[in-house]
């Protein structure tokens, strides 16, 4: 069910800006930045012979709001040997948490292009999983330590599981597998062993 996670050292939001000299169109356009990242991920997956799918790709919040993101990412993937369904674009919980934000229409653009969409809830978990959003989200990524400490997050994970959303945990220990499974977690990223 779970493939791989594609992470890079630098995220879009982490780039430093000191004026027009340091900025370029590629760096300031989140749609192009994400499309370029998908191209790099596809190239690396092909070069390594990696077969795990879907590939969870962290995506900048600004790309979700950009109307050109779905088109740019679709075009980038079409230039590779992969297809859109092999990628799950993981957006931060903060991109969905605002009450005035129409998440459904933003996610629908990416879904229409064929991409899977997920929510990264490792830092916060304030997204209200409305019925329309539950139908469009494929994966939720949570922190296992936070899950153990928060009944609210446990309830959210159970709702996600009952809606058919794949829940993946970071910082999970193998010894906690039974608890995680009962809570609704279906996979783990690099689970830890007891040393």
């Amino acid at each position: 069910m779970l493939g791989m996670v594609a992470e890079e050292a630098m995220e879009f939001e982490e780039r430093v800006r000191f004026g027009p000299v340091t900025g370029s169109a590629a760096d300031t356009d989140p749609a192009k930045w994400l499309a370029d990242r998908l191209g790099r991920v596809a190239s690396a997956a092909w070069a390594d012979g990696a077969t795990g799918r879907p590939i969870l790709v962290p995506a900048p919040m600004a790309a979700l709001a950009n109307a050109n993101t779905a088109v740019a990412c679709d075009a980038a993937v079409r230039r590779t040997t992969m297809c859109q369904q092999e990628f799950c674009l993981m957006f931060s919980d903060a991109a969905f948490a605002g009450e005035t934000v129409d998440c459904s229409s933003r996610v629908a653009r990416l879904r229409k292009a064929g991409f899977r969409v997920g929510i990264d809830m490792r830092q916060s978990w304030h997204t209200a999983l409305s019925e329309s959003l539950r139908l469009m989200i494929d994966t939720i990524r949570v922190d296992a330590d936070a899950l153990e400490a928060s009944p609210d997050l446990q309830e959210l994970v159970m709702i996600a599981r009952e809606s058919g959303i794949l829940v993946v945990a970071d910082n999970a220990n193998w010894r906690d597998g039974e608890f995680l499974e009962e809570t609704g977690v279906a996979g783990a990223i690099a689970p830890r062993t007891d040393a």
Side-chain angles (χ1 to χ4, degrees):
M1 286 177 62
L2 176 62
M4 301 180 298
V5 179
E7 293 181 329
E8 294 180 321
M10 185 75 71
E11 295 296 329
F12 178 80
E13 288 91 354
E14 295 173 344
R15 294 178 181 267
V16 178
R17 303 272 185 259
F18 292 107
V21 176
T22 60
S24 68
D27 290 337
T28 59
D29 181 2
K32 181 171 181 352
W33 188 89
L34 182 56
D36 291 344
R37 171 177 263 190
L38 291 177
R40 289 190 305 272
V41 169
S43 177
W46 182 83
D48 292 343
T51 58
R53 303 289 185 271
I55 300 173
L56 305 184
V57 180
M61 291 189 296
L64 187 61
N66 191 313
N68 299 324
T69 298
V71 174
C73 291
D74 180 55
V77 171
R78 287 179 186 271
R79 290 190 293 270
T80 71
T81 59
M82 297 178 73
C83 63
Q84 294 80 355
Q85 293 84 5
E86 294 180 88
F87 295 98
C88 182
L89 305 178
M90 299 297 294
F91 294 97
S92 169
D93 172 66
F96 299 89
E99 292 180 11
T100 59
V101 176
D102 182 12
C103 303
S104 300
S105 64
R106 294 176 179 186
V107 172
R109 288 189 295 232
L110 293 165
R111 296 287 299 188
K112 189 174 182 182
F115 291 99
R116 299 172 190 228
V117 178
I119 303 175
D120 186 346
M121 294 186 168
R122 291 177 296 162
Q123 300 298 318
S124 67
W125 49 89
H126 299 292
T127 298
L129 290 177
S130 63
E131 187 175 341
S132 60
L133 192 57
R134 280 182 282 180
L135 293 172
M136 291 188 276
I137 296 298
D138 292 291
T139 306
I140 290 178
R141 191 171 173 186
V142 298
D143 183 88
D145 296 333
L147 182 64
E148 191 171 347
S150 172
D152 292 338
L153 183 57
Q154 290 175 21
E155 182 179 342
L156 190 138
V157 165
M158 290 300 288
I159 291 169
R161 181 174 94 171
E162 291 169 5
S163 301
I165 297 172
L166 174 66
V167 181
V168 180
D170 276 42
N171 300 319
N173 290 307
W174 281 103
R175 69 174 183 269
D176 297 333
E178 188 175 330
F179 163 76
L180 294 171
E181 186 177 7
E182 289 173 2
T183 308
V185 174
I189 296 171
R192 300 179 296 205
T193 60
D194 295 329

